[in-house]
Amino acid sequence: MDLLGSLGILLRVAEVRSFSAVARERDVSQAAVARQISQLEEHFGVRLFHRTTRKISLTDDGQMLVLLARPILDGVEDMLTAVGRQSASPIGLVRVGVTGTAGRFLARRLPELLADHPGLKVELVVSDRIGDMIEDRLDLAMRAGEISDASLVVRHAGTISRVAVAAPSYIEKHGEPSLPTELGQHTCIVHATSQNSDMWTFVTNEGTQQFRVSGGFLANDASAVHLAARSGYGIAYLALVDVFDDLRSGQLVRVLSNFPSPNIPFSLVYSSRRHLAPRTRVVLNFILEGLREIRALLSADPGEIRDQGSDRSAPVLSL
């Protein structure tokens, strides 16, 4: 029996409370996971889990073994990382929790990482709902806003900026608002994720203010809003990282560039620094590097993004 491997499976089953979930993560059968647990029970002569048809839970002996095994496995993982084995050739699945916007950002860039590391697998778990990382079986997550959960390790990646954008065809036909108050006279595309999604926030000379918008098209998916804006239907309010490529190509233009949105902190989080597997660290560093490259590009060449009908540059140093 591979004692260390079996103990690793024990810890993961204890975290997610599911044999089938661990089997999917490791790309093995559920029977193989159950067999590893049974071998541990036979080896130590104790029962590790209470099993019913609906759920499993640790026995007292199981809880004790988990507590004893965790520092041992942490030490082994630290040794492997120190000598560069797993970090040089990361193998296995990394589940990353992302919003739709972050998912599209990563989908365009992950093939490069996967080509460099054939043994690595990355699963994007896309949801605008912020859930429990252990319950959702996430190794890593991208989060916007302040992180108040003290159990999470937070790597600050910068800030997210939203911008008002429209297709050139819409501007040609309907003109461009010069003030946020004029949005009420325009057709706007609402990204309906909350009760106040029709309130767009801009920084004005009077401070941060919200402005109500309206339009016939609403969607709870940013990609649908994005496509509607590209079609020329109306003005959308989206994360800069989501529309950056279209702004550079001219398929979308930025409006109200003199009225930025408030910057929102953006972070990558994971549940415990001690359990950040080398394969997860490779993905984490890859994402951070991609975000740094975008920030550098925006900082070095702000003139690539200009407001419609003007020679004024609209520098944006956040995402």
Side-chain angles (χ1 to χ4, degrees):
M1 177 182 66
D2 176 5
L3 182 58
L4 289 176
S6 296
L7 288 173
I9 286 180
L10 168 66
L11 262 62
R12 192 57 180 150
V13 171
E15 287 176 341
V16 303
R17 297 292 194 272
S18 170
F19 282 23
S20 59
V22 175
R24 287 194 298 271
E25 286 181 359
R26 295 172 180 256
D27 197 22
V28 298
S29 68
Q30 184 173 337
V33 172
R35 186 164 54 251
Q36 295 264 43
I37 299 299
S38 295
Q39 288 175 348
L40 278 175
E41 291 177 329
E42 183 177 346
H43 181 79
F44 289 102
V46 296
R47 188 176 183 183
L48 299 175
F49 287 98
H50 298 296
R51 300 175 178 87
T52 70
T53 56
R54 301 184 62 130
K55 66 178 182 179
I56 63 172
S57 60
L58 284 167
T59 64
D60 290 343
D61 288 323
Q63 291 177 342
M64 180 181 296
L65 184 56
V66 165
L67 290 174
L68 293 171
R70 196 180 299 277
I72 295 172
L73 292 176
D74 286 344
V76 171
E77 188 168 282
D78 288 345
M79 285 189 293
L80 290 171
T81 301
V83 299
R85 291 180 186 173
Q86 290 189 24
S87 57
S89 182
I91 296 173
L93 175 67
V94 179
R95 286 170 53 86
V96 185
V98 294
T99 62
T101 293
R104 286 182 290 277
F105 165 78
L106 288 179
R108 294 191 293 267
R109 292 162 174 81
L110 277 175
E112 175 187 346
L113 175 68
L114 298 175
D116 290 339
H117 303 287
L120 182 65
K121 295 181 180 180
V122 178
E123 179 180 353
L124 299 183
V125 183
V126 182
S127 174
D128 288 328
R129 177 186 65 86
I130 298 178
D132 181 85
M133 292 195 63
I134 297 298
E135 182 180 339
D136 293 338
R137 299 182 292 112
L138 299 178
D139 301 295
L140 186 65
M142 303 173 75
R143 294 285 185 254
E146 297 292 343
I147 308 297
S148 58
D149 189 343
S151 70
L152 296 177
V153 179
V154 180
R155 292 287 301 274
H156 295 289
T159 57
I160 293 176
S161 175
R162 292 188 176 89
V163 291
V165 297
S169 60
Y170 176 87
I171 300 297
E172 292 170 6
K173 186 174 181 180
H174 301 283
E176 176 190 2
S178 57
L179 297 169
T181 53
E182 297 176 6
L183 286 170
Q185 305 165 24
H186 284 266
T187 299
C188 293
I189 309 164
V190 177
H191 184 200
T193 57
S194 68
Q195 190 174 8
N196 296 318
S197 295
D198 60 348
M199 300 293 290
W200 293 0
T201 305
F202 296 93
V203 179
T204 71
N205 291 334
E206 288 73 37
T208 301
Q209 293 183 295
Q210 290 187 316
F211 302 87
R212 190 174 298 281
V213 301
S214 62
F217 188 96
L218 301 87
N220 65 354
D221 177 52
S223 61
V225 174
H226 189 177
L227 290 173
R230 286 176 56 174
S231 75
Y233 175 75
I235 299 173
Y237 185 62
L238 293 167
L240 174 59
V241 69
D242 211 22
V243 298
F244 176 72
D245 292 336
D246 284 337
L247 290 172
R248 286 175 61 85
S249 69
Q251 288 185 287
L252 290 173
V253 294
R254 186 177 176 188
V255 300
L256 297 173
S257 59
N258 289 332
F259 301 92
S261 70
N263 288 329
I264 302 171
F266 181 73
S267 307
L268 286 96
V269 301
Y270 46 94
S271 58
S272 168
R273 189 185 305 275
R274 296 291 294 171
H275 298 103
L276 186 65
R279 61 178 177 273
T280 305
R281 192 176 298 279
V282 166
V283 176
L284 169 68
N285 290 336
F286 180 81
I287 295 173
L288 289 173
E289 181 59 30
L291 296 174
R292 281 193 292 267
E293 288 178 1
I294 288 183
R295 287 201 303 273
L297 180 60
L298 289 170
S299 178
D301 195 9
E304 288 290 341
I305 301 178
R306 298 177 180 272
D307 46 326
Q308 174 69 13
S310 171
D311 290 329
R312 295 171 298 166
S313 297
V316 184
L317 302 183
S318 56
L319 298 174

